[in-house]
Amino acid sequence: MQQREEYGLDAPGVLRRLVLIGLALGLAGLAALDRLPLLGLSLLPAGLVCLAMAGWMLASSLWLKRRLVQTLLNQRIWRGDETILDIGSGRGLAAVNAARRAPAGHVHALDLWQSADLSGNGPEGLRRNAEIAGVAGRLTIDTGDARSLPYGDQRFDVVLSMTALHNIDTAEGRAQAIVELLRVTRPGGQILLFDIGYAPAYRRQLSTLGARDVMLSRPVFLWGIAGHRLSAFKPAED
């Protein structure tokens, strides 16, 4: 049987709580219908909302994020020999697909490997997906923080990040990560991001820092929260 790439469930703790709360509210609502019908009729919709949110999160993790990463990568005209950095790689969805777009290039996949962000989050899961996809020989797995990237200046043609920077819990930390992304991008190189919550702030900051052709997509409701794709270029040197 042919092996398939597996990219895990995002925010598995949140998904689990939504399912448990939804089931608890639904069962409590059913139990209350006979004696306290108004209470039952209030609890049942609340339970269904929680279960619907859980269903959307599950669909986002299993199918929709795969489509979204292709849309994000389509924002670049690929040469095929790029040196690429993927920040917050998780199990490698963006890194593996970027490696497919650059068959003569190389990808560095960086993460802190926090299991709260993604089920099975670790270098082993990423390596397995890269091997199944046939790109393991063109992919290096690193451990590091987006706020202090362990790379020299102007090293990468493309810097990616897919639903990772919002996990930095302060505005100052997220701003520092954007500075770092731009630092390691080569002149003329491209930054491609998808994130929830803060992408408009990234657009403003990148524009202030001198990035050109900074483009922000319309809202994309992955995991039930509005997110945006962002593309920007580092100015080429004169």
Side-chain angles (χ1 to χ4, degrees):
M1 182 179 296
Q2 185 177 4
Q3 291 182 305
R4 295 183 58 190
E5 299 156 39
E6 299 290 344
Y7 291 107
L9 299 178
D10 298 277
V14 175
L15 177 61
R16 188 180 306 113
R17 286 192 292 274
L18 283 172
V19 171
L20 292 175
I21 292 170
L23 290 174
L25 289 172
L27 292 172
L30 288 172
L33 281 177
D34 288 339
R35 296 184 179 181
L36 299 167
L38 290 179
L39 177 61
L41 292 173
S42 298
L43 293 175
L44 281 172
L48 289 174
V49 167
C50 289
L51 292 174
M53 291 172 62
W56 186 251
M57 286 188 67
L58 186 62
S60 296
S61 290
L62 296 180
W63 302 293
L64 299 179
K65 71 179 181 182
R66 295 181 183 236
R67 296 176 58 184
L68 178 60
V69 78
Q70 299 300 337
T71 304
L72 181 67
L73 295 174
N74 286 343
Q75 293 184 255
R76 177 172 180 80
I77 300 173
W78 294 85
R79 299 190 313 264
D81 63 349
E82 287 89 347
T83 301
I84 302 157
L85 172 62
D86 178 32
I87 297 171
S89 288
R91 293 171 66 165
L93 177 60
V96 167
N97 282 283
R100 288 186 169 115
R101 304 282 182 115
H106 194 88
V107 179
H108 281 261
L110 179 89
D111 208 316
L112 288 173
W113 316 112
Q114 298 178 137
S115 60
D117 299 332
L118 179 69
S119 64
N121 193 9
E124 299 79 11
L126 195 160
R127 189 174 294 109
R128 177 181 179 275
N129 283 327
E131 289 171 353
I132 292 171
V135 301
R138 296 185 284 107
L139 190 147
T140 298
I141 299 174
D142 298 322
T143 298
D145 192 318
R147 293 165 290 189
S148 181
L149 294 172
Y151 309 107
D153 295 352
Q154 302 182 6
R155 180 167 175 182
F156 298 99
D157 299 299
V158 182
V159 177
L160 300 171
S161 184
M162 175 86 172
T163 326
L165 299 184
H166 71 277
N167 291 312
I168 301 172
D169 59 5
T170 66
E172 293 79 8
R174 293 188 294 273
Q176 179 59 30
I178 294 297
V179 170
E180 283 288 277
L181 266 67
L182 196 59
R183 176 183 68 80
V184 301
T185 304
R186 288 177 180 160
Q190 189 171 9
I191 294 171
L192 292 171
L193 306 178
F194 176 82
D195 206 12
I196 56 177
Y198 305 109
Y202 307 155
R203 176 184 60 178
R204 291 191 295 270
Q205 183 181 359
L206 284 166
S207 297
T208 299
L209 292 172
R212 63 178 179 83
D213 297 329
V214 183
M215 299 178 63
L216 192 71
S217 74
R218 294 179 179 179
V220 178
F221 289 91
L222 203 64
W223 301 287
I225 304 172
H228 299 267
R229 297 187 313 275
L230 185 150
S231 171
F233 288 86
K234 187 169 183 175
E237 293 179 336
D238 296 331

